[in-house]
């Protein structure tokens, strides 16, 4: 029967299957179905480096079980966790400390892995379905030049007295009598050689993978490892995969080698068809490379994300009254106001200075025409919001996120945000992270109500490094939820007991499908390392009140439309403690009759679809940054 179907129809049917395990099963049914399933199964693959202590240790079992099918790959992703090592990731370490037992300590089971696993299950080829690739197999098949770890080689280099003497002999112009100077030179050179070996080892392991991918077949490439990318890979992408339309790079913002080793400014000039670009770049070399990419793709780019790794102010680098991002990255002559990105629809800026450049940056990105705008700790944001509010033109925004952690002094003035929100209508998503010093009066909540007929999702989180009870925002939040019947997803920083009291006052009840409660002040980038223990402590301490709230919310007197209750911090893939709860059905009710909720399980496909559709909502407004500068 199947062989009677036209090939186009059969192929279209197979393309509708987005669960990789289903495609794997389909490929085993018959030769005919295998012919259509295999290209879809290998269309998108993810190569993982699961050991943060050695990010050259990739899972490359796909080379042993499906190397010949890599010719079908169109979306190639390299990913690693960002949980324990948030800086200096380019050099392997023997440090075994981390969060390995965090879930057990806080008593939340395998919460985080459940969230992450379900986000990944439909996206990419899963190497775990195949058997392990032994070191002997790697050697015999040529999948890497060696099976010894880079950590062993790096340590051997660092402890070699002969090599230390060689290093010092290379620096004869330095005062040899200074032991401090000698020690500094040795440490620097050791780190430099470790880094060189790290890059070589990484490329030797990945080379067979790239050799099996068809030339100019990739449409999307992602490097989400938080490490330097070997120059040979950037050369390969530029010369062999010029049809890439989506590029994501997350490098190591704390690596001092980036400016000299990792990027030649023109290393990606061959990519001229980009429609999406996301780059976490902190070094000047990367920023100049990014600028070249942006300018040679102005016609095509629809989505741009620029993450500088940490907030910075132009005044830290220049005394002149100019904007370095506009002049040096976008190559804009001050005051010319060019319209560069005419196709742009989505823009995310983190740590990008807007000060003294708003009049040029607004038309360059055609911000009034954007559908999505996200500004995170950008100095000069209030200047931009005021300028947009004063503009006579209309805004097309449907999604807006503003993250103020209190890093800059101007973030404590909320007047520009209120003026901006009152200046246009049609907003569907409003995500705001505000510093604790904000006083949320009636005027602020009134500005949100200006979009009452269109708002569907609201996130309202507070930054800080402390936990406290609800403040003066309760009355305003009550008014918002009472007057906005369109809201289906709500994210707030609140104590569960206070929130249930507030929601119980509202009649009829809000028709929320997804409610996210994030306790205040669990994270802050400046003290993240010393407060890691507190995340777990606070999460465990709050669980009893979360259970009480869930019992009320999923009860007949609670929130009748609620499908998922999310509690905790889900930013950056949920690397902090979190939990997802849902209503108990008769078949899977909790043993205790007075408990009407349960934790989401992997079988809850419909509920996970709701979570998948709102990942941006759950992970919005992070207090922390993805990586830290050591």
């Amino acid at each position: 029967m199947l062989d009677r179907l036209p090939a186009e129809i059969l192929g279209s049917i197979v393309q509708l299957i987005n669960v990789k395990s289903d495609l794997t099963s389909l490929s085993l049914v018959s030769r005919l179905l295998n012919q259509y399933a295999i290209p879809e199964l290998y269309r998108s693959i993810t190569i993982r480096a699961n050991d943060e202590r050695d990010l050259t240790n990739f899972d490359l079992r796909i080379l042993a079980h499906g190397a010949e099918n890599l010719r079908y790959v169109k979306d190639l992703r390299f990913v690693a966790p960002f949980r324990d090592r948030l800086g200096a990731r380019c050099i392997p370490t023997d440090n075994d400390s981390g969060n390995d037992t965090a879930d057990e300590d806080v008593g939340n089971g395998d919460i985080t892995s459940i969230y992450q696993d379900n986000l990944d299950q439909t996206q990419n080829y899963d190497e775990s379905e195949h058997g392990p690739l032994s070191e002997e197999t790697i050697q015999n098949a040529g999948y890497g030049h060696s099976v010894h770890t880079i950590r062993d080689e790096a340590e051997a280099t660092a402890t070699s007295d002969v090599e230390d003497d060689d290093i010092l002999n290379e620096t004869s112009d330095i005062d040899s009598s200074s032991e401090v100077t000698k020690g500094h030179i040795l440490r620097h050179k050791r780190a430099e050689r470790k880094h060189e070996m790290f890059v070589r080892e990484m490329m030797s392991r990945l080379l067979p993978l790239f050799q099996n991918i068809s030339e100019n077949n990739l449409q999307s490439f992602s490097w989400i490892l938080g490490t330097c990318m070997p120059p040979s890979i950037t050369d390969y992408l530029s010369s062999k995969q010029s049809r890439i339309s989506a590029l994501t790079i997350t490098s190591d913002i704390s690596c001092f080698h980036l400016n000299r080793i990792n990027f030649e400014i023109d290393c990606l000039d061959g990519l001229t068809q980009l429609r999406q670009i996301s780059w976490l770049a902190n070094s000047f070399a990367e920023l100049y490379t990014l600028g070249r990419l942006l300018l040679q793709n102005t016609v095509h780019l629809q989505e741009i994300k620029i993450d500088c790794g940490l907030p910075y102010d132009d005044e830290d680098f220049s005394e002149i009254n100019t904007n370095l991002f506009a002049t040096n990255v976008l190559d804009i002559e001050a005051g010319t106001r060019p319209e560069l990105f005419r196709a742009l629809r989505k823009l995310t800026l983190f740590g990008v200075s807007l000060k003294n450049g708003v009049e040029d940056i607004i038309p360059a990105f055609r911000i009034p025409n954007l559908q999505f705008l996200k500004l995170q700790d950008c100095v000069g944001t209030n200047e931009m919001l005021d300028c947009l509010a004063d503009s006579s033109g209309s805004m097309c925004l449907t999604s807006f996120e503003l993250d103020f952690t209190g890093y800059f002094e101007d973030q404590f003035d909320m007047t520009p945000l209120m003026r901006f929100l009152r200046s246009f209508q049609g907003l569907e998503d409003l995500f705001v992270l505000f510093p604790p010093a904000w006083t949320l009066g009636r005027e602020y909540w009134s500005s949100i109500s200006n979009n009452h007929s269109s708002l569907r999702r609201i996130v309202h989180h507070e930054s800080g490094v402390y936990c406290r009870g609800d403040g003066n925002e309760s009355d305003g939040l009550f008014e918002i939820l009472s007057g906005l019947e369109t809201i289906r997803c709500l994210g707030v920083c609140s104590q569960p007991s206070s929130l249930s009291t507030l929601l119980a006052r509202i009649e009829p009840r809000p028709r929320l499908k997804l409610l996210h409660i994030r306790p205040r002040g669990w994270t802050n980038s400046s003290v993240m390392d010393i407060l890691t223990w507190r995340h777990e402590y606070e999460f465990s301490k709050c669980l009893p009140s979360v259970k009480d709230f869930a019992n009320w919310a999923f009860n007949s007197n609670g929130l009748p439309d609620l499908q998922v209750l999310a509690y905790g911090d889900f930013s950056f893939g949920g690397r902090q403690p979190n939990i997802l709860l849902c209503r108990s059905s008769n078949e899977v009710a909790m043993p205790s009759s007075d408990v009407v909720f349960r934790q989401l399980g992997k079988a809850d496909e419909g509920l996970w679809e709701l979570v998948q559709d709102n990942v941006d909502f759950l992970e919005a407004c992070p207090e922390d940054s993805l990586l830290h500068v050591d």
Side-chain angles (χ1 to χ4, degrees), residues 51-101:
D51 186 357
E52 287 184 86
R53 297 166 301 174
D54 184 357
L55 291 169
T56 65
N57 186 16
F58 296 100
D59 186 345
L60 293 173
R61 285 173 286 182
I62 192 172
L63 288 172
H65 299 282
E68 69 281 2
N69 295 320
L70 290 176
R71 67 183 186 274
Y72 299 117
V73 175
K74 296 183 180 298
D75 174 21
L76 178 60
R77 303 173 73 240
F78 295 91
V79 302
F82 293 84
R83 299 183 65 83
D84 300 328
R85 293 192 68 195
L86 303 183
R89 292 165 63 93
C90 285
I91 298 178
T93 177
D94 280 328
N95 183 12
D96 291 328
S97 62
N99 295 344
D100 294 342
T101 60

Side-chain angles (χ1 to χ4, degrees), residues 4-268:
R4 299 179 183 177
L5 287 175
E8 295 81 3
I9 294 179
L10 186 56
S12 298
I13 293 174
V14 174
Q15 288 177 4
L16 295 174
I17 303 174
N18 58 7
V19 178
K20 296 302 182 181
S21 58
D22 292 343
L23 283 170
T24 301
S25 300
L26 189 65
S27 69
L28 301 175
V29 172
S30 67
R31 288 189 174 90
L32 178 63
L33 290 177
N34 181 277
Q35 176 183 347
Y36 291 95
I38 287 297
E40 292 303 313
L41 182 62
Y42 285 85
R43 172 182 291 270
S44 177
I45 67 170
T46 295
I47 305 299
R48 302 181 186 278
N50 291 319
D51 186 357
E52 287 184 86
R53 297 166 301 174
D54 184 357
L55 291 169
T56 65
N57 186 16
F58 296 100
D59 186 345
L60 293 173
R61 285 173 286 182
I62 192 172
L63 288 172
H65 299 282
E68 69 281 2
N69 295 320
L70 290 176
R71 67 183 186 274
Y72 299 117
V73 175
K74 296 183 180 298
D75 174 21
L76 178 60
R77 303 173 73 240
F78 295 91
V79 302
F82 293 84
R83 299 183 65 83
D84 300 328
R85 293 192 68 195
L86 303 183
R89 292 165 63 93
C90 285
I91 298 178
T93 177
D94 280 328
N95 183 12
D96 291 328
S97 62
N99 295 344
D100 294 342
T101 60
D103 290 338
E104 180 180 349
D105 293 340
V106 300
N108 64 324
D110 200 20
I111 304 299
T112 301
S113 63
I114 289 177
Y115 173 69
Q116 293 171 329
D117 290 348
N118 278 275
L119 294 187
D120 289 339
Q121 67 178 351
T122 64
Q123 296 177 353
N124 294 281
Y125 174 89
D126 185 4
E127 295 91 341
S128 63
E129 296 177 0
H130 305 282
L133 181 60
S134 66
E135 294 183 350
E136 181 180 0
T137 304
I138 295 176
Q139 286 179 317
N140 293 338
Y143 305 143
H145 296 187
S146 62
V147 297
H148 65 276
T149 66
I150 183 63
R151 185 186 306 114
D152 296 336
E153 187 171 344
E155 288 176 352
T157 302
T159 56
S160 171
D161 293 335
V162 175
E163 194 166 271
D164 287 350
D165 291 339
D166 293 339
I167 292 173
L168 291 176
N169 290 334
E170 295 172 5
T171 57
S172 57
D173 57 327
I174 302 296
D175 183 3
S176 60
S177 64
S178 172
E179 293 300 325
V180 174
T181 301
K182 289 181 180 179
H184 175 77
I185 295 172
L186 284 172
R187 286 191 298 271
H188 177 80
K189 289 294 185 178
R190 287 170 180 171
E192 189 174 82
R193 295 191 180 185
K194 285 183 181 181
H195 185 275
E196 292 173 356
M197 286 187 292
F198 173 86
V199 173
R200 286 200 304 269
E201 180 76 6
M202 178 176 283
M203 196 56 231
S204 71
R205 290 179 178 271
L206 295 180
L207 181 61
L209 181 74
F210 288 109
Q211 289 174 336
N212 282 280
I213 295 176
S214 300
E215 186 170 336
N216 285 325
N217 201 52
L218 287 183
Q219 298 174 355
S220 175
F221 179 85
S222 299
W223 183 270
I224 314 176
L225 296 174
T227 70
C228 295
M229 188 159 62
S232 50
I233 294 182
T234 59
D235 293 342
Y236 165 82
L237 295 178
S238 185
S239 61
K240 303 295 184 182
Q241 300 295 343
S242 60
R243 294 181 182 176
I244 289 176
S245 61
L247 178 68
T248 299
I249 296 177
T250 301
S251 58
D252 187 352
I253 62 173
S254 63
C255 183
F256 67 92
H257 299 276
L258 275 171
N259 280 310
R260 296 184 300 104
I261 297 177
N262 194 34
F263 283 100
E264 296 294 336
I265 292 177
D266 60 351
C267 64
L268 291 171

